[in-house]
Amino acid sequence: MNLILLGPPGAGKGTQAQRLERNRGLIQLSTGDMLRQAVAAGTPIGLQAGVIMEAGGLVPDDVVVGIIGERISHQDCLGGFILDGFPRTVAQAEALDNLLAARGLKLDHVIEMRVVDDILIERVTGRFTCGTCGAGYNKTSQPPKVAGICDRCGGTEFVRRADDNEVSMRKRLAAFHAQTAPLLPYYKAKGVLSTIDGMAAIEQVAQAIDKVLEGAGK
Ligand code: AMP
């Protein structure tokens, strides 16, 4: 099964993609994570993308399409994947259609996770992750059980994304509304779109996604 989690930054796409990866053996394909790896490694793509990402803009379509095209050709994606943060423009969605068609693959579901902007800003400016295992937390809604210690691995170093500040976040939201929201009618017309409430608790959102994947949520 191949699916897209579609939603603004902070909607919970990564959290839900990781859960689907654990429970269903699907591969999470996050262009944001891939680009952050490229930035950390100092590759030419990373050098080009880093400045744009920190400012909250979108990396050029050909760059992200190239990354995804290469990644979905790997053997492990044949068992199904979750696109998280891609596509973000209609041009990327059209390129994805071509990439899938060329590989004889199909898109089973596009799940829109809907959250209002004010909540997104609060979520994103409060989030941080364990520097050792990557477990995600939020200052107000999901702090570690013991302050300063990761629940999952006991790590004590935490990291914040460079673009998780209010100035970048407002730009990321503007990019979402202007460039990514047009994907909703695009996928609705293809009959693959379902919308769920991304403001519910993580477990309830997970159940809503499961319902869609089991064919009952449209
Ligand atoms: P994310 O982790 O999905 O929030 O992505 C972080 C940043 O990476 C975004 O704000 C963009 O600058 C860049 N990015 C990630 N995915 C894409 C994409 N599909 N198209 C363009 N830029 C992207």
Side-chain angles (χ1 to χ4, degrees), residues 9 13 30-33 35-36 52-53 56-61 64 84-88 92 127 161 163 172:
K13 302 184 297 293
S30 157
T31 39
D33 284 349
L35 289 167
R36 277 185 289 280
I52 301 172
M53 292 166 75
L58 290 185
V59 172
D61 290 335
V64 284
D84 157 12
F86 179 92
R88 261 173 154 101
Q92 291 178 22
R127 72 181 174 185
R161 278 171 49 172
D163 58 349
R172 288 156 67 196

Side-chain angles (χ1 to χ4, degrees), residues 66-138:
I67 293 177
I68 284 290
E70 197 274 324
R71 185 62 186 87
I72 63 170
S73 305
H74 289 201
Q75 195 71 18
D76 61 350
C77 286
L78 288 176
F81 53 79
I82 312 145
L83 290 165
D84 157 12
F86 179 92
R88 261 173 154 101
T89 64
V90 171
Q92 291 178 22
E94 288 167 352
L96 176 65
D97 287 344
N98 294 334
L99 288 173
L100 294 175
R103 290 161 180 77
L105 299 171
K106 89 180 222 295
L107 193 57
D108 298 285
H109 297 280
V110 177
I111 303 179
E112 178 200 4
M113 300 173 68
R114 198 174 283 175
V115 181
V116 299
D117 285 8
D118 288 349
I119 292 183
L120 294 168
I121 292 174
E122 199 180 291
R123 277 190 189 176
V124 161
T125 53
R127 72 181 174 185
F128 57 95
T129 51
C130 170
T132 311
C133 74
Y137 295 99
N138 189 284

